Structures are given as structure tokens and as C-alpha cells.
């Protein structure tokens, strides 16, 4: 299959490209390098022995994108490209809406012009906002994100639903990720955020690298066993495999619009993750408890039955693997 991957040099995109190439798919990457590095292309080549075709373009520039479609005959598209920092999105909502929504609209228009009608979209569990109960299943109320970044995911999901309602020859698969962490076992690719991170694992790594003194755990007075928040951490390689399952499923006899959670189905507390990191890698991360972070959901984990039953997808990696692989990437990174 010939697949366009937007944002293919980013954290989840690059791992997905590796899995696709390993299975013999042809991949073309577009990425504007705003939150990724061109060296990732060399790393992908090192891991897979294949160098995918790459275009450095911004999805906001429709003419550039149109050229990519003109030069390639795609079977399908996986769309990762987008801005994703929650805090920044609150400060710069217009930039987030413009970038994520206009970029997606341009992509969909180019797809329609070229009659490429299969898309896997990178959504997020943040569309559920504060869930009524856990595990969260795909039919739970969505459109509930608590910040502009999350709302761009809600709006794009709605755009895809409306497009499908108007023309059911489209095939859309929406994947709602829980909390991706970990890195490729080679240590060559992983999460490498620009600036000071605010997600948990990148911050743990920063402390382990000695760039920050202590991790602050936001709140230990939640109604959970150890008082810290609970999340569904999923290894990025499992997540990448989920995309392969999704794209192969949609190109067999299973067209239509589908929505799947991608998580492990298991909740792990913030404190458990930090303790596991220290157990697996040596006591590298000092921490202290601080106030709750406004907007944090106390408990969030996925119901995974739908992805398992329909896509045959199940996670293989453990929390220990996630901690080990994250640190392995981080300590080798230049
Ligand atoms: C956040 C976003 C979500 C986005 C996801 C991307 C919100 C409300 N949600 O999810 O929309 O899709 O990032 O990965 O912002 N923590 C600490 N100390 C830290 C950093 C985090 O204790 O220095 C805790 C947080 O309080 C939270 C947990 O770790 O309980 C996970 O935080 P984070 O990695 O930011 O992800 P989410 O908040 O789950």
C-alpha cells in the first residue's frame, strides 16, 4: 500500500512509519519540522534500511500539498501533523485552530481532488474531557475537551463525521490515544519535545538527565489509592502497531467511519510510573508533591474491547518497557 503520513517525523508519526516500512508498505512523509528534526529521517533509514520520500511542507500551504498528491498515487493517508502543546494552545488559540483545522481542511480537499478517500486520524482521549466513569468506551460523550488543542481534535472528528454523512464512499478511522510514552527499542527515535516539556514522561526524563532538579507531582490528594492521578500509558510502538492494524482493516472489506480507543485498558498512577522508572533505571528521579494542576482529569483509562475485537489489536509492552525504552532513547540522544 502507498501511504502518505503527515507529521511522519514526529514522535508517534516516526514510530508508525517504521512499523509500516517493516511490513513492506510504501511511505511518503510530509512534515514542516516545526516540532521534529530532519535527522529522524536518517534514524528511520537506519532502523528499516529504507529511506522514505520526504517533503518539507506546511499543510497550510495547499499548493505545496497539491503537488505532493500530483506526484504520488496514494492509497491512503495517516494524518498526525498538528500542534499539540496544551498550555501553548491556551495562550495562542487562534494559531492552534488555524494550524490544526486549516491544515486538515487542506489535506481533505487535496484528498478529494485526487480521489484518495481513506484516512486514519490521530485524535486523543482528551475529547472525553472529564469522563463520568472508567474505563471509557468510544460511545462516551465527546466534544468535551478542556483546552483549544483538545477542541481542535473534537472539531476535526466532527468534520470527518459530517463528510462521511454527506458521502459514504469515504473511509475514516479515528484513533483516540491515551498517554503515549516509551521509544523505539533501538534508542534511535523517541519523544524529543522543543523547550521545557509539560507532559509527564518528558519531564521525568529531564530530571533523569540532570536538567531539572526535581519532578513535581501535581496533587496527591485525589481519590485514588496513592492520591495521584491515574492514566493509561501506552507504549508508542504499540500505538504505532495500532495504526497499522487500523489502516489494514480499513483497506480490507471494512470501510466506513470507525472510532477506536488506543490504550492498554490499565490505569497506572503517576506515582507508580515514577517509582517504576526509578526501579528499572536506577534512582534517577527525585520528586516532590505539589498542588493539583488545574484542568487535570483525576482518572482516565480506556476500554479497549472494540480495538481488540474489530482490529485484533492488543498492547504487548509493559510499564517497565515504557520506562526502560524512554530512558534508553533519552540517554543516547545528542
Ligand atoms: C495532556 C492533555 C491532553 C493531551 C496529552 C498529550 C490536559 C488536560 N490534557 O494529558 O489533552 O492529549 O497531554 O500527551 O492537559 N504530571 C505531574 N508532573 C508533571 C507533569 C505531569 O505530576 O510535571 C501529571 C499530571 O498532573 C497528570 C499526569 O502526570 O496527572 C499526566 O500528565 P500529562 O503527561 O501532561 O498528560 P495528560 O494531562 O493526561
Amino acid at each position: 500500500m502507498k501511504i502518505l503520513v503527515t507529521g511522519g517525523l514526529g514522535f508517534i508519526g516516526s514510530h508508525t512509519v517504521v512499523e509500516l516500512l517493516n511490513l513492506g508498505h510504501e511511505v511518503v512523509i510530509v512534515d514542516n519540522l516545526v516540532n521534529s528534526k530532519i535527522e529522524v529521517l536518517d534514524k528511520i533509514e537506519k532502523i528499516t534500511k529504507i529511506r522514505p520520500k520526504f517533503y518539507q511542507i506546511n499543510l497550510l500551504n495547499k499548493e505545496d500539498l497539491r503537488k505532493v498528491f500530483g506526484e504520488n498515487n496514494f492509497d491512503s493517508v495517516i494524518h498526525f501533523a498538528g500542534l499539540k502543546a496544551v498550555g501553548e494552545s491556551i495562550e495562542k488559540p487562534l494559531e492552534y485552530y488555524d494550524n490544526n483545522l486549516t491544515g486538515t481542511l487542506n489535506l481533505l480537499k487535496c484528498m478529494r481532488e485526487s480521489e484518495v478517500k481513506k484516512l486514519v486520524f490521530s485524535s486523543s482521549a482528551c475529547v472525553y474531557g472529564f469522563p463520568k466513569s472508567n474505563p471509557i468506551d468510544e460511545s462516551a460523550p465527546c466534544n468535551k475537551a478542556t483546552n483549544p488543542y483538545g477542541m481542535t481534535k473534537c472539531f476535526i472528528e466532527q468534520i470527518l463525521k459530517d463528510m462521511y454523512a454527506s458521502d459514504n464512499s469515504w473511509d475514516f478511522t479515528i484513533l483516540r490515544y491515551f498517554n503515549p510514552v516509551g521509544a523505539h527499542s533501538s534508542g534511535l527515535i523517541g519523544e524529543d519535545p522543543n523547550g521545557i516539556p509539560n507532559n509527564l514522561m518528558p519531564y521525568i526524563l529531564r530530571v533523569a538527565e540532570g536538567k531539572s532538579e526535581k519532578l513535581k507531582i501535581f496533587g496527591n490528594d485525589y481519590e485514588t489509592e496513592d492520591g495521584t492521578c491515574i492514566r493509561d500509558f501506552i507504549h508508542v510502538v504499540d500505538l504505532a502497531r495500532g495504526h497499522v492494524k487500523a489502516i489494514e482493516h480499513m483497506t480490507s472489506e471494512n470501510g466506513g467511519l470507525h472510532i477506536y480507543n488506543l490504550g492498554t485498558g490499565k490505569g497506572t498512577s503517576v506515582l507508580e510510573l515514577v517509582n517504576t522508572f526509578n526501579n528499572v533505571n536506577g534512582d534517577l528521579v527525585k520528586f516532590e508533591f505539589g498542588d493539583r494542576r488545574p484542568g487535570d482529569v483525576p482518572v482516565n483509562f480506556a476500554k479497549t474491547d472494540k480495538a481488540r475485537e474489530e482490529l485484533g489489536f492488543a498492547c504487548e509492552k509493559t510499564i517497565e518497557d515504557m520506562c526502560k525504552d524512554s530512558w534508553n532513547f533519552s540517554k543516547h540522544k545528542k
Side-chain angles (χ1 to χ4, degrees):
M1 215 186 309
K2 184 161 180 173
I3 304 164
L4 172 65
V5 181
T6 75
L9 297 184
F11 175 42
I12 305 170
S14 59
H15 288 82
T16 301
V17 167
V18 165
E19 296 304 310
L20 291 168
L21 293 172
N22 282 342
L23 285 170
H25 295 294
E26 189 182 345
V27 172
V28 175
I29 296 173
V30 303
D31 198 303
N32 67 355
L33 301 179
V34 73
N35 194 26
S36 58
K37 299 195 172 82
I38 189 63
E39 293 78 48
V40 173
L41 195 59
D42 303 328
K43 309 281 175 65
I44 290 172
E45 185 178 7
K46 214 164 168 188
I47 297 168
T48 63
K49 314 277 178 278
I50 299 165
R51 193 174 183 85
K53 198 194 260 188
F54 169 67
Y55 294 87
Q56 183 179 346
I57 63 159
N58 191 324
L59 297 189
L60 296 184
N61 192 334
K62 188 154 155 246
E63 284 317 306
D64 285 356
L65 190 57
R66 192 175 265 145
K67 259 175 83 186
V68 176
F69 276 85
E71 290 173 12
N72 298 278
N73 235 330
F74 297 120
D75 298 298
S76 54
V77 177
I78 307 182
H79 179 34
F80 293 101
L83 298 173
K84 61 169 191 176
V86 171
E88 187 182 56
S89 80
I90 295 168
E91 284 159 27
K92 301 181 183 171
L94 192 55
E95 280 73 11
Y96 268 67
Y97 287 122
D98 188 24
N99 187 80
N100 292 5
L101 298 184
T102 311
T104 303
L105 293 174
N106 285 344
L107 176 66
L108 288 165
K109 286 178 190 164
C110 289
M111 289 178 70
R112 187 172 60 185
E113 282 166 20
S114 312
E115 294 191 34
V116 181
K117 292 195 139 180
K118 295 179 193 305
L119 176 79
V120 173
F121 173 61
S122 168
S123 189
S124 163
C126 67
V127 300
Y128 297 120
F130 284 77
K132 280 214 180 79
S133 62
N134 280 282
I136 309 169
D137 80 59
E138 290 86 347
S139 62
C142 56
N143 286 324
K144 301 270 183 201
T146 55
N147 53 70
Y149 152 75
M151 284 311 299
T152 68
K153 298 294 181 191
C154 297
F155 288 136
I156 294 169
E157 287 200 2
Q158 189 59 46
I159 290 166
L160 301 181
K161 289 172 192 166
D162 291 343
M163 284 181 64
Y164 183 71
S166 78
D167 174 1
N168 66 10
S169 67
W170 284 94
D171 294 321
F172 293 123
T173 297
I174 292 168
L175 300 177
R176 294 178 178 158
Y177 314 152
F178 280 67
N179 288 59
V181 296
H184 193 261
S185 58
S186 64
L188 291 169
I189 53 174
E191 187 168 19
D192 194 4
N194 286 337
I196 298 183
N198 35 41
N199 291 118
L200 180 59
M201 184 57 90
Y203 207 87
I204 289 177
L205 295 171
R206 195 178 155 84
V207 177
E209 286 168 27
K211 291 185 185 152
S212 291
E213 200 204 332
K214 265 186 197 165
L215 169 78
K216 187 172 275 180
I217 295 184
F218 299 134
N220 63 340
D221 57 351
Y222 286 98
E223 282 179 26
T224 60
E225 212 160 293
D226 63 25
T228 66
C229 290
I230 289 180
R231 292 289 181 273
D232 187 340
F233 299 100
I234 174 169
H235 195 294
V236 64
V237 172
D238 279 334
L239 189 58
R241 289 178 36 253
H243 289 75
V244 176
K245 292 277 189 194
I247 204 135
E248 290 181 343
H249 180 260
M250 96 193 301
T251 44
S252 53
E253 307 284 274
N254 306 291
L257 185 141
H258 301 281
I259 301 178
Y260 300 102
N261 285 338
L262 290 183
T264 62
K266 184 178 169 292
T268 300
S269 78
V270 172
L271 186 59
E272 269 178 89
L273 185 76
V274 178
N275 285 336
T276 307
F277 189 94
N278 279 335
N279 288 340
V280 173
N281 297 316
D283 283 328
L284 296 168
V285 180
K286 286 199 201 120
F287 61 88
E288 62 187 5
F289 295 111
D291 292 341
R292 292 183 178 196
R293 183 174 68 177
D296 269 344
V297 176
V299 180
N300 205 7
F301 60 96
K303 191 154 168 42
T304 56
D305 303 42
K306 195 173 173 208
R308 189 176 52 252
E309 283 158 19
E310 295 183 16
L311 303 179
F313 171 70
C315 291
E316 291 170 0
K317 307 267 191 185
T318 63
I319 292 284
E320 282 78 9
D321 296 329
M322 300 178 207
C323 291
K324 189 164 62 72
D325 292 340
S326 291
W327 180 230
N328 184 45
F329 167 71
S330 199
K331 70 184 177 199
H332 289 115
K333 154 183 106 188
K334 275 188 239 129

